Amino acid sequence: MSLALSAPGQEALHRIEAQLGATVAWDRLLEGNPNPDRAALNLDRWLGATGNPATYLQAALDFDALPRLLRVMGSSQHLADGLIQNPELGSLFLDQGFLQHGFDSFQQELGELLQTATSPSHALDRLRYFRQKWNLVIAANDLGGSWPQETVWLNLSRLAQHLIAETVRLLWRQAGEEGEPPLMVVAFGKLGGDELNYSSDVDLVYVSLDGISEQDDRKLTRFCEGLNRALEQKMGRGSLYRVDLRLRPYGGTGPIVRTMRAYEAYYELYAEPWERLALLRSAPIQLGPEELRSRWEALRVAHCFPERMSEPVLEQLLDMRTAIEEIGKGDDLKRGVGGIRDIEFLTQLLQMLHGAAHPEVQVRPTLQALRELQQAQILDPASASSLAHAYEFLRKLEHRCQIGGDLQTHTVPEEAEPRDELGHLMGFDSWETLSAQLEMHRRTARTLYHAFLRPQHRGVDDRSRAATAVGSSAQALLQWFDVLPESDAFYSSLVDNESSLDRVKAILESAPVLVEPLRQSVALTELLLSGEIEEMHDASLRIRKLPLDCDLRTLASATVYARTAVLARWALLGTDAGLELSDLADAVLRHCARRLYAEFDILALGSYGIQELSLSSDLDVLFLVPNGDRQADCEAQAQSLLGLVANLRRMGAPISLDLRLRPDGGKGLLVRSHAGLQQYDLQGMEMWERYAICQAREVHAPSQGENGSATSLALVRKLAYAVPLSPERLTELLDMKKRMETERVLPQHARREVKLGYGGLNDLEWFVHLHEMRYPVETEAGTHVRMPERIHALSRAGLIHAGEVEELVEAHRHLVETRMRLALMGFVKDTVPENPDKLDRLARAMGLADGNEFLRRHEPLIERVRGMLREGQERLKR
């Protein structure tokens, strides 16, 4: 055993192996575990509590559940104690599907659990058990990287809201009352914003109907006091939630329960600006009279989103935030400079300032608000993206600080050992690496906070000159360069070198989504300023040079680096980004396949097959192996490859595989043998499946020529064109295309969707592809990969004339560029914007005067593409 374990940890693992009667590969199972010692000792304790340790252990090994289980046990003593107290909960880790399904059906499960309760105290114990169970599910997905942080916060909040509501109903029935209580429970803060922590207090206020009698008021007050005790009471399973009532009117001195009319009067006459800010993230829990819930939302909108905010109110809020900073010193992630509160405060203040004019920004969750602020053009894409990344990082780090002992802390530990463990919990190799990322995100948050809320007087320094030179992109520029080491030198370089400034300005205006990856790479930023980035003709070389045993994070970083360089070159020079992105994807996939000694062939399909990848494209692939005897081994290798790619994606590499075009779709084998694919063909491969594999291209072929067999690519091309495209089969395909258009494109976007919409890339591809399927020999089908080459092949076959070739090639160039521009500018995916300002920005990025000029070019092109498709369909039906 090569793991660096203490003597008790090694003894625990030896005891476990003795119970199993076999040796276990602990090195693999504990790889990346933040605290292998803690994990080993807790696993030993949990198995001892099960009563049948060998059976549980063997099941965990068979279902590959031990790494997930050990990660939770090594990350949190609190969660491990819950598992040991309830050993049956370990079986949750055996069902990966259950772990990931979330809370869609848990209300029914909660009801069934309470039916088994024998007394009110037992029912409360059942609720505490339910929280233990689902906290474990959430933590397993969080620590394993299965859920994004936003989903983790949402599910913690949903769990709390359901448990609080169920506790209210339980106590109401216990008091001998029937029906729903005449009471509304309103959540504030992180619970109200669906962003709860593992160890958050729950900020609540209690609201009653208007006109209740003094007797009923006293009764509801006693009831709510009992509710607080029930939620906070610590028993064997701990408590449900700590309750904080200080956000009610007049704070700790005010009545616990007030009528709705009293709340409306308070906010109208007496509420301080900070109380209105807090009101923004308030939400009634789904309980109580509907009238109260609708009136509360009206109250929130009226007081949080005024038509205008006075200067004194704004200054008072800013002063309040400054006062809070005095409390949050050092490593306070929440209240310190550039911390969580800075981002929340900035976001909420922007919502209050602009919410009346833009109702879509009146949302409660912070990340959703940032997205809406960007869509409303209140925040530029670079600033919104940076704030969102910083917020997600800081909240995740806050969670990692809390999860170990269920502690309500927002401070990074001071001791070296806990700090290193925290680094591993966050997925970094050390505390130093984590600390550098933390400092970067805090500097970014603080820079943007000051830029938007406390803009300083502009002087004549190089930073101010550079900001003035880029005009409306100044905030994005500062957000990019302020966080770089020796930022003053970078600003001086921009001011002194006009070509450097021009390149930076081009990125800010036409490709703002690249600001975030450029900001995180000093090397790429330097290459951009020097102009050397324009000479990087083979970005995939960076991947090809990596040794197969390199650290996975190195591969992920190299992929992000190379992809950013490709996209920056396209934004500056108009290079062939689709081809370069496909070459990069090829290099990454080949590296991963060789790293795993994968024996199967990998074929690219769809837009990946024709080398037209865009920013958001998945990689459509097909896995084949000539030798059927190797199929089972290759299936296991394919599973490993998918896991490896998923890990790369979690580390930031934008790469995702899609195998839904394989035989039998999502239910089929990952890897097919040649004989298996041929058998599938004989059993009735559908015409749309043949259409889908027509655009196959070889990516990785270790089995090429094995035993003299045909290559996988040759077999796929043979099957793709094996069945003639008769008029009946053409009708079948066209019906499928029509369904795809109606199901995947909103009616209002039909003429603005550049890929699947009217006259879009999909129409053009179908025109070319259908002619190839009808005339495979004449069009040299399968020989050419790129679309312009295939269009010219149609002309050589006499199917279209020279003028149509020119029209199709120009339409293809325009649509591909438009699609890439939309992605790099952060607009709605593949959709030409209706907003005139956004349309003008798109037009200028494409070298056009304004949005009207863009439409004058775009509309005739899509009309011609759709017209040619219709004409072609009619010809092919004859």
Side-chain angles (χ1 to χ4, degrees), residues 56 94 114 277 361 414 474 493 871:
Y56 268 92
L94 304 181
L114 289 174
L277 191 71
V361 309
E414 297 179 358
S493 178
E871 293 165 8

Side-chain angles (χ1 to χ4, degrees), residues 85-338:
Q85 184 182 25
N86 310 286
E88 73 281 3
L89 292 183
S91 60
L92 295 173
F93 290 81
L94 304 181
D95 185 350
Q96 183 70 359
F98 175 80
L99 274 182
Q100 294 183 359
H101 80 54
F103 294 96
D104 296 338
S105 60
F106 100 14
Q107 187 63 46
Q108 179 182 349
E109 181 188 344
L110 185 56
E112 292 171 354
L113 189 68
L114 289 174
Q115 286 179 359
T116 65
T118 57
S119 66
S121 60
H122 187 215
L124 284 172
D125 184 67
R126 295 285 79 198
L127 293 177
R128 297 186 190 101
Y129 169 81
F130 195 78
R131 186 187 181 217
Q132 281 184 313
K133 173 183 175 179
W134 282 96
N135 267 350
L136 193 61
V137 172
I138 295 169
N141 283 287
D142 182 9
L143 295 168
S146 305
W147 286 348
Q149 288 301 296
E150 198 169 4
T151 303
V152 173
W153 312 335
L154 175 63
N155 284 332
L156 284 169
S157 303
R158 290 287 184 262
L159 175 62
Q161 290 160 12
H162 279 284
L163 287 174
I164 292 168
E166 205 57 52
T167 304
V168 172
R169 295 187 181 102
L170 174 68
L171 296 181
W172 191 248
R173 291 193 299 270
Q174 182 185 347
E177 303 289 348
E178 295 182 355
E180 288 278 304
L183 178 78
M184 177 173 66
V185 180
V186 180
F188 276 70
K190 283 188 166 54
L191 180 57
D194 283 333
E195 295 176 334
L196 200 64
N197 286 345
Y198 286 109
S199 301
S200 292
D201 288 348
V202 289
D203 295 298
L204 303 178
V205 302
Y206 303 128
V207 187
S208 66
L209 291 166
D210 297 333
I212 65 170
S213 67
E214 186 177 335
Q215 179 181 357
D216 286 341
D217 182 60
R218 287 197 299 270
K219 176 179 164 183
L220 277 177
T221 299
R222 288 194 299 272
F223 175 80
C224 290
E225 290 170 345
L227 172 63
N228 293 342
R229 289 193 296 272
L231 291 172
E232 294 187 323
Q233 186 177 21
K234 282 196 173 184
M235 300 297 286
R237 301 184 192 278
S239 63
L240 282 171
Y241 296 100
R242 296 180 296 269
V243 179
D244 191 337
L245 302 177
R246 288 175 296 174
L247 289 179
R248 69 187 189 271
Y250 306 109
T253 62
I256 291 179
V257 182
R258 295 176 69 91
T259 65
M260 187 67 217
R261 188 180 297 124
Y263 273 95
E264 290 165 339
Y266 179 82
Y267 279 99
E268 182 66 35
L269 300 172
Y270 305 112
E272 298 286 340
W274 70 265
E275 291 178 289
R276 299 177 192 274
L277 191 71
L279 182 65
L280 192 151
R281 285 208 298 176
S282 67
I285 290 173
Q286 290 303 307
L287 177 87
E290 177 60 37
E291 174 202 347
L292 294 185
R293 295 204 294 272
S294 59
R295 285 173 65 186
W296 188 272
E297 181 58 20
L299 172 75
R300 173 179 174 269
V301 170
H303 293 286
C304 295
F305 310 108
E307 291 294 333
R308 64 178 299 275
M309 183 182 291
S310 67
E311 197 69 30
V313 169
L314 179 59
E315 284 301 321
Q316 189 175 346
L317 287 170
L318 291 170
D319 291 343
M320 178 200 72
R321 174 66 194 132
T322 302
I324 292 174
E325 288 171 12
E326 299 300 320
I327 304 172
K329 297 293 186 180
D331 292 318
D332 192 323
L333 299 171
K334 185 176 180 180
R335 295 170 295 190
V337 172

Side-chain angles (χ1 to χ4, degrees), residues 856-869:
R856 284 194 296 271
R857 174 175 296 190
H858 181 74
E859 288 290 339
L861 284 174
I862 64 173
E863 283 290 350
R864 186 61 182 129
V865 169
R866 177 56 69 108
M868 289 180 68
L869 176 63

Side-chain angles (χ1 to χ4, degrees), residues 78 115-116 297-298 300 313 340 373 405 438 475 477 666 701 874:
H78 169 70
Q115 286 179 359
T116 65
E297 181 58 20
R300 173 179 174 269
V313 169
I340 292 167
L373 288 165
L438 172 60
Q475 300 297 352
L477 175 81
E874 293 304 314

Side-chain angles (χ1 to χ4, degrees), residues 725 730 734 763 766-768 770-771 774-775 794 799-800 804 808 864-878:
L725 183 62
L730 173 62
L734 293 177
D763 275 4
W766 275 75
F767 175 84
V768 173
L770 290 175
H771 282 81
R774 171 61 70 85
Y775 305 105
L794 296 190
L799 298 172
I800 57 175
E804 290 173 320
L808 285 174
R864 186 61 182 129
V865 169
R866 177 56 69 108
M868 289 180 68
L869 176 63
R870 287 171 178 157
E871 293 165 8
Q873 290 170 4
E874 293 304 314
R875 285 198 304 269
L876 293 173
K877 287 178 182 178
R878 296 170 193 153

Side-chain angles (χ1 to χ4, degrees), residues 820-840:
M820 186 69 78
R821 293 287 180 198
L822 290 168
L824 286 175
M825 297 183 81
F827 292 161
V828 175
K829 180 182 176 183
D830 297 338
T831 305
V832 174
E834 285 184 304
N835 179 284
D837 292 334
K838 290 185 177 181
L839 188 59
D840 285 344

